[in-house]
Amino acid sequence: MLLVIGIVIPLLLIFWQSVYTDQGWDWLAPIRTIASHDLFGVLLQTLWLGVCVVAGTTLLALPLAWMMAKTRMGRHRWVDVVLMIPFMTPPYIGSMGWILFMQKGGYLQQWLPGSGVWSESFFSFGGMVLIMCLHLFPFLYLLLRDAMIRIGGHLEEAGAVHGAGPGYRFRKIMLPLLLSSYGMGAMLVFVKTIAEFGTPATFGRRIGYYVMTSEIHKYISSWPIDFGKATSLASILLSVCLVMWYMQSTVSRRFTYRLVGGKGQRTKRYTLRGAAGVACVSYMGLLLVLSVGIPYFSVIAASLMKLRGTGLSMDNLTLDHYKELLSWGSVSLRALGNSLGLSLAASTVAVLLGSGFALAVGKSQRRMQRVIDLFSLLPNTVPGIVMVVGLILFWNSPWLPATLYNTYGMVVLTYVILFLPYTVQYVKANFTQIDGTLFQAGQVFGGGPLMILRRILLPLIAPGMLAGWIMTFTIAARELVGSLLVLPPSMQTSATYIFAQFEQGQVSLGMAMAVVSVGMTVVLLLLVETLNSKRKWNAS
């Protein structure tokens, strides 16, 4: 019922808007909209962008996941926190950072005057794919790393005993066991890519590469406003993502294996020496520089500049923007507090609801379980701006006895609905690999349902719950589209404050807010990671 009220009905309202025209019902209206407005090419560009970003994130995330799960480099847990910074950063902030770094007369050309050729080649489709891959690969990396950790070392040792080399063992043992988790991650990366608005609105518009979300935004925000055309385009994206969900669900059901049992297991760790160790460290260092170093250098440099046209020099740096930002009682400080409070509330509610839905979905073997799984993933299958419009249409309906619209509760509900799929997928990935004999053993030894839940189930799915909480918090803290549309009057969050500063030409003040808000999130993540490490040490 919660999924129906919170997700299904708003999406049905969107569908109704897309097929009900002035002439009545027109079930082919979405297709007619694309055909009559020459949007078929935009649809193909959107799909091609999604495919390229999935391929790029795979190339970035898979080697890193292996290094952190199967070598001693996994002891450096700070890497996981640092790698979450790109995902915590609003996409348009990261894009602006790269634009400031690579544009003509940008920071790169100020250091290397002869790098103009690099700048020209960067502002292309390949550069757009690179920016989006560097933003989204941490999500796929976390899924793959956790899946590799659950693969016991005895499986690889059995392959080695039978004469299989490292490459053969990885291809025949590791990859099939990773396929289920990879399918989940690849699907969500694809959906996130084709539903992204920030990067296409900044970088894509500059290179002339338009996608479906930019067209939807045009119909919603530009006069004359046409919700019918916008929701028609959204319904096409929804159909594409439903096909992706069906393919992922089929792969998961076929390639899900029980890896967590009652006998215990140990992870095989490889020792990196010589050229292999240098290559792994170099790869990680290059990835950190590209995903965190370059964009955040640009963001921090812009936040410290007195005059943007003067360039990088010591006499052009100032902290006045931070002083103005953090002054007591200022609008910016209240915006930071609002973001923190709303994100904490939304992530906590999302973990509680998402864990319940993930346990109800189970291994998706029954039809009702697959339906619940589909409903829980729907918010990630449509552009966020369209989902928010559906929520507004529903909560503004005159037949409702009470409404949350124009309240803080509406903001929390919007965040929960938008980011619920992350918790569901993380917890589901952990739950589907738990052997049912563990619960049977608990019943044999006299454990009741509450005891089994507390002593067996919750400890095994706790990593997925924690990962889902962290993911929801980091995304909610920088959510822009939902905040712009549902925040009560005179209330701002850090994302809307940054957006407003860009609109008003105060780029340095907006960049300063980006640095402070992401810094607060990193501190919270470090605290959570420290507590989690202490819990594991005490358990051992």
Side-chain angles (χ1 to χ4, degrees):
M1 179 59 74
L2 291 176
L3 289 175
V4 171
I5 295 176
I7 299 175
V8 178
I9 294 179
L11 288 179
L12 288 177
L13 290 175
I14 294 173
F15 178 74
W16 178 79
Q17 288 278 350
S18 67
V19 299
Y20 189 78
T21 63
D22 296 335
Q23 290 76 30
W25 295 98
D26 184 2
W27 301 103
L28 297 179
I31 299 177
R32 297 180 196 279
T33 299
I34 288 184
S36 62
H37 292 81
D38 298 327
L39 293 174
F40 187 72
V42 177
L43 175 61
L44 292 181
Q45 289 184 174
T46 303
L47 298 180
W48 178 239
L49 178 64
V51 171
C52 292
V53 171
V54 169
T57 54
T58 302
L59 294 177
L60 294 178
L62 185 59
L64 184 64
W66 182 84
M67 285 187 280
M68 296 299 292
K70 296 298 182 181
T71 71
R72 296 186 180 275
M73 296 176 68
R75 295 179 299 177
H76 302 292
R77 304 296 296 177
W78 59 268
V79 175
D80 292 340
V81 177
V82 174
L83 288 174
M84 287 298 296
I85 294 178
F87 205 78
M88 294 183 293
T89 306
Y92 66 91
I93 295 293
S95 299
M96 286 295 296
W98 274 101
I99 290 173
L100 291 173
F101 189 81
M102 297 296 296
Q103 67 184 354
K104 184 178 180 180
Y107 301 136
L108 179 62
Q109 286 195 21
Q110 293 180 34
W111 289 344
L112 302 174
S115 61
V117 178
W118 298 354
S119 298
E120 293 178 2
S121 60
F122 179 79
F123 287 95
S124 61
F125 175 74
M128 185 174 177
V129 171
L130 176 63
I131 292 175
M132 300 190 77
C133 289
L134 292 173
H135 172 67
L136 292 172
F137 87 90
F139 176 74
L140 185 59
Y141 154 72
L142 289 177
L143 278 175
L144 293 177
R145 186 208 61 185
D146 290 344
M148 288 184 183
I149 290 176
R150 290 192 295 270
I151 298 176
H154 64 284
L155 297 175
E156 298 178 73
E157 292 171 353
V161 168
H162 287 82
Y168 187 87
R169 294 199 302 269
F170 183 81
R171 189 173 69 254
K172 292 295 185 179
I173 298 177
M174 295 285 289
L175 288 184
L177 295 177
L178 292 175
L179 197 55
S180 177
S181 296
Y182 175 76
M184 293 181 189
M187 184 203 67
L188 293 177
V189 168
F190 179 85
V191 171
K192 188 68 178 175
T193 300
I194 66 175
E196 179 59 57
F197 173 73
T199 301
T202 54
F203 193 91
R205 185 179 301 170
R206 179 163 181 156
I207 65 174
Y209 195 91
Y210 299 99
V211 296
M212 294 288 279
T213 51
S214 58
E215 296 299 314
I216 293 172
H217 181 265
K218 180 181 69 174
Y219 286 124
I220 291 179
S221 61
S222 302
W223 185 262
I225 295 176
D226 194 334
F227 279 98
K229 291 180 181 178
T231 51
S232 294
L233 300 182
S235 65
I236 296 295
L237 283 183
L238 175 60
S239 301
V240 172
C241 295
L242 288 179
V243 172
M244 290 294 299
W245 170 84
Y246 178 78
M247 295 171 58
Q248 179 268 327
S249 180
T250 302
V251 170
S252 296
R253 287 197 304 271
R254 184 176 178 182
F255 294 98
T256 295
Y257 304 95
R258 297 175 180 177
L259 300 176
V260 181
K263 296 182 180 180
Q265 62 184 17
R266 59 181 178 82
T267 300
K268 181 177 178 59
R269 298 282 184 178
Y270 293 91
T271 301
L272 298 176
R273 296 189 180 92
V278 173
C280 289
V281 173
S282 301
Y283 177 81
M284 180 179 293
L286 179 63
L287 198 56
L288 292 176
V289 169
L290 293 177
S291 61
V292 181
I294 290 178
Y296 268 90
F297 168 80
S298 301
V299 170
I300 294 173
S303 69
L304 295 174
M305 281 191 178
K306 296 178 183 178
L307 298 174
R308 292 177 57 197
T310 305
L312 290 173
S313 60
M314 291 302 297
D315 57 353
N316 193 35
L317 302 181
T318 180
L319 293 175
D320 291 342
H321 304 299
Y322 289 93
K323 293 178 182 178
E324 180 180 351
L325 194 72
L326 299 176
S327 59
W328 184 256
S330 62
V331 175
S332 54
L333 196 60
R334 289 197 299 270
L336 280 173
N338 291 334
S339 291
L340 184 62
L342 292 171
S343 302
L344 286 173
S347 57
T348 302
V349 174
V351 162
L352 295 177
L353 293 178
S355 299
F357 293 143
L359 298 180
V361 169
K363 297 176 175 59
S364 301
Q365 295 177 346
R366 300 177 182 177
R367 178 173 297 179
M368 183 55 66
Q369 290 176 326
R370 290 196 290 270
V371 170
I372 296 175
D373 192 18
L374 170 62
F375 287 171
S376 66
L377 285 177
L378 282 179
N380 258 354
T381 62
V382 294
I385 189 171
V386 179
M387 188 73 231
V388 174
V389 170
L391 290 172
I392 293 174
L393 291 174
F394 174 71
W395 288 103
N396 268 331
S397 300
W399 45 267
L400 285 178
T403 181
L404 290 175
Y405 187 69
N406 209 23
T407 66
Y408 291 179
M410 181 67 182
V411 185
V412 174
L413 175 65
T414 301
Y415 290 170
V416 171
I417 296 299
L418 289 177
F419 311 128
L420 183 67
Y422 296 109
T423 298
V424 173
Q425 291 304 309
Y426 275 120
V427 176
K428 180 184 173 184
N430 281 58
F431 180 67
T432 53
Q433 294 186 335
I434 299 176
D435 197 326
T437 57
L438 292 176
F439 307 122
Q440 297 172 4
Q443 294 174 345
V444 168
F445 285 93
L450 292 179
M451 178 66 72
I452 293 175
L453 175 67
R454 183 170 59 89
R455 300 300 296 272
I456 299 178
L457 181 59
L458 286 181
L460 292 176
I461 66 172
M465 295 176 65
L466 180 62
W469 187 93
I470 292 175
M471 188 66 66
T472 303
F473 177 84
T474 54
I475 304 176
R478 49 87 162 171
E479 169 60 23
L480 175 63
V481 175
S483 302
L484 285 173
L485 295 179
V486 302
L487 278 177
S490 73
M491 181 183 181
Q492 283 188 312
T493 62
S494 59
T496 59
Y497 182 86
I498 294 171
F499 186 79
Q501 300 312 306
F502 282 147
E503 290 291 309
Q504 298 168 10
Q506 298 289 335
V507 176
S508 296
L509 199 57
M511 291 297 191
M513 172 63 86
V515 173
V516 172
S517 58
V518 174
M520 290 175 56
T521 310
V522 171
V523 170
L524 181 61
L525 290 179
L526 288 173
L527 179 61
V528 171
E529 182 66 25
T530 301
L531 295 176
N532 189 42
S533 299
K534 288 183 178 179
R535 182 185 64 81
K536 291 181 179 179
W537 186 85
N538 291 331
S540 63

Coordinates of all heavy atoms in Angstrom, one line a residue, residues 19 96 169 254 317 362 415 419 469 517:
V19 N -1.2 10.7 -22.0 CA -2.1 10.0 -23.0 C -3.4 10.7 -23.1 O -4.2 10.4 -24.1 CB -2.3 8.5 -22.7 CG1 -1.0 7.8 -22.8 CG2 -3.0 8.3 -21.4
M96 N 30.9 21.9 -13.9 CA 31.5 23.3 -13.9 C 32.9 23.3 -13.5 O 33.7 24.0 -14.0 CB 30.7 24.1 -12.9 CG 29.3 24.6 -13.4 SD 29.4 25.7 -14.8 CE 30.2 27.1 -14.1
R169 N 40.7 -18.3 -13.7 CA 39.9 -18.3 -12.5 C 39.0 -17.1 -12.5 O 37.8 -17.1 -12.0 CB 40.8 -18.3 -11.3 CG 41.6 -19.6 -11.1 CD 42.1 -19.8 -9.7 NE 42.9 -18.7 -9.3 CZ 44.2 -18.7 -9.4 NH1 44.8 -19.7 -10.0 NH2 44.9 -17.6 -8.9
R254 N 18.8 -15.8 -12.7 CA 19.6 -16.9 -13.3 C 20.9 -17.1 -12.7 O 21.5 -18.2 -12.6 CB 19.7 -16.8 -14.8 CG 20.3 -17.9 -15.5 CD 20.3 -17.7 -17.0 NE 21.0 -18.8 -17.7 CZ 21.2 -18.8 -19.0 NH1 20.7 -17.9 -19.8 NH2 21.8 -19.8 -19.6
L317 N 43.5 35.7 -4.1 CA 42.8 34.7 -3.2 C 42.3 35.4 -2.0 O 42.9 36.3 -1.4 CB 43.8 33.6 -2.8 CG 44.4 32.8 -4.0 CD1 45.3 31.7 -3.4 CD2 43.3 32.2 -4.9
G362 N 12.7 -10.5 -1.4 CA 13.5 -11.8 -1.3 C 14.3 -12.0 -2.5 O 15.0 -11.1 -3.0
Y415 N 12.3 13.1 -1.0 CA 13.7 12.5 -0.9 C 13.6 10.9 -0.8 O 14.3 10.2 -1.4 CB 14.5 13.0 0.2 CG 14.9 14.5 0.0 CD1 15.5 15.2 1.1 CD2 14.8 15.1 -1.2 CE1 15.9 16.5 0.9 CE2 15.2 16.4 -1.3 CZ 15.8 17.1 -0.3 OH 16.2 18.4 -0.4
F419 N 15.0 8.2 -3.6 CA 16.2 7.4 -3.3 C 15.9 6.1 -2.6 O 16.9 5.4 -2.2 CB 17.1 8.3 -2.5 CG 17.3 9.7 -3.1 CD1 17.1 10.8 -2.3 CD2 17.6 9.8 -4.4 CE1 17.3 12.1 -2.8 CE2 17.8 11.1 -5.0 CZ 17.6 12.2 -4.2
W469 N 22.0 3.6 3.6 CA 21.8 4.9 4.4 C 22.8 5.9 3.9 O 22.4 7.1 3.7 CB 22.0 4.6 5.9 CG 21.7 5.7 6.8 CD1 20.5 6.0 7.4 CD2 22.6 6.8 7.1 NE1 20.6 7.2 8.1 CE2 21.9 7.7 8.0 CE3 23.9 7.1 6.9 CZ2 22.4 8.8 8.5 CZ3 24.5 8.2 7.4 CH2 23.8 9.1 8.2
S517 N 29.4 22.2 2.1 CA 28.4 21.1 2.2 C 29.0 19.8 1.9 O 28.7 18.8 2.7 CB 27.2 21.4 1.2 OG 27.7 21.5 -0.1

